[in-house]
Amino acid sequence: MARPAASSSAAATTPATTCGASRKSLFNTLAAMRDAGYTVELPADADALRRRLLEGNAARNGTPANVFARVGADDIVRREPHLREIEAQWGPAPGKPGSDGRSVMVLGERFGNVFVGLQPAFGWEGDPMRLLFERGFAPTHAFSTFYRWLREDFAAHALLHFGTHGALEFMPGKQVGLSGACWPERLIGDLPHLYLYASNNPSEGTLAKRRAGATLISHLTPAVTQAGLYRGLADLKALLDRHRALPPQAGAEAEDLARAAWPRCTRRCSSWRPR
């Protein structure tokens, strides 16, 4: 495999709610890129990565993460080719979501030739499907500006989405055969797109491939199974099940079961006493 050029640049985006496991995966990916020859200034560990991303100047700016760059309203008006459509939904640039009233804030941090950014919010929290199915809708100024900044200002050579899942593939447009009128195509263009995606979600993974041109890097989630009860809790459950199944007239037997169950109770039922 050919070594990357020293000037190769990449952008990794992750939801603002990224959990600790994703941050560790991101740290490991940055380490692997550095070892492969990419120019990566790696933090000391995953926690240092978290602090650089989510703390930094966040408190000073009143934001959920470090503010790496600002894109002013004048710049958005001059460079956004679909400004009229966005302003019809979200008002004049820079809009309210993801902005300070004068500019859109790009959240994230740079580590050598890799920028790790936090994908802006959907715009309609709690109803992301509205973006996908409502005709004539558009992403926020912040969302469109974020991807244009990655393509044109940071000039990324590749894009890696971390975590299942983001919002790019849910942006308005056709379901198949996307064109220049569809927002996923407008936002990412011809930028190579890799997506670290859980393999237990194939339906939405297929959506990311079909609508955002993603090459999925699948991973298995931890196996989940019914834990069941153990030790005295299994005996306690059996006694309570028998007690619950008794007819109303079985008072004496119910009393015996209650007294048998009581010694097996934990502190959580310490306020209860058998009659």
Side-chain angles (χ1 to χ4, degrees):
M1 183 176 181
R3 290 180 62 82
S7 60
S8 296
S9 61
T13 74
T14 182
T17 55
T18 297
C19 66
S22 294
R23 286 194 294 272
K24 291 178 182 178
S25 296
L26 178 56
F27 178 83
N28 292 339
T29 299
L30 292 174
M33 291 177 66
R34 179 200 59 188
D35 296 343
Y38 290 92
T39 303
V40 180
E41 297 173 2
L42 194 66
D45 52 33
D47 192 56
L49 174 64
R50 178 195 63 80
R51 290 194 300 270
R52 292 272 300 272
L53 287 173
L54 301 184
E55 296 178 13
N57 58 23
R60 183 168 69 251
N61 289 294
T63 54
N66 182 70
V67 177
F68 181 78
R70 284 181 164 84
V71 182
D74 291 344
D75 186 273
I76 294 172
V77 170
R78 185 175 67 255
R79 297 171 60 194
E80 174 56 64
H82 311 291
L83 181 66
R84 182 175 298 179
E85 294 177 51
I86 298 175
E87 289 191 334
Q89 300 293 334
W90 301 102
K96 292 182 179 179
S99 84
D100 60 6
R102 300 181 302 275
S103 59
V104 162
M105 296 176 287
V106 177
L107 304 184
E109 181 60 291
R110 183 168 183 164
F111 302 92
N113 283 355
V114 178
F115 173 74
V116 180
L118 276 72
Q119 187 183 69
F122 282 34
W124 288 98
E125 300 307 315
D127 190 14
M129 295 300 102
R130 180 174 179 179
L131 287 168
L132 184 58
F133 294 115
E134 185 167 324
R135 292 181 180 273
F137 211 61
T140 64
H141 289 285
F143 204 95
S144 181
T145 298
F146 177 75
Y147 281 93
R148 188 176 64 256
W149 184 89
L150 291 177
R151 295 192 324 269
E152 300 178 6
D153 297 351
F154 181 69
H157 294 151
L159 176 65
L160 172 59
H161 276 105
F162 251 81
T164 306
H165 52 71
L168 174 66
E169 61 269 28
F170 291 96
M171 289 295 126
K174 293 188 293 183
Q175 296 301 302
V176 294
L178 273 66
S179 68
C182 302
W183 278 101
E185 187 75 13
R186 290 174 173 180
L187 292 168
I188 199 170
D190 60 357
L191 190 63
H193 180 198
L194 307 173
Y195 212 142
L196 191 65
Y197 215 93
S199 60
N200 66 342
N201 191 4
S203 58
E204 291 183 329
T206 301
L207 189 70
K209 293 175 67 175
R210 190 177 70 240
R211 301 195 76 246
T215 296
L216 299 190
I217 304 172
S218 299
H219 63 94
L220 286 173
T221 54
V224 178
T225 186
Q226 187 172 350
L229 298 175
Y230 55 91
R231 296 180 184 175
L233 290 176
D235 295 335
L236 175 60
K237 181 179 184 300
L239 290 169
L240 294 176
D241 287 344
R242 286 176 57 191
H243 188 280
R244 189 179 296 113
L246 289 175
Q249 61 270 24
E253 186 177 357
E255 191 73 17
D256 291 341
L257 288 173
R259 293 186 184 282
W262 169 243
R264 295 176 171 83
C265 282
T266 65
R267 292 181 180 179
R268 291 185 179 181
C269 51
S270 61
S271 61
W272 176 82
R273 292 291 187 278
R275 295 181 180 178

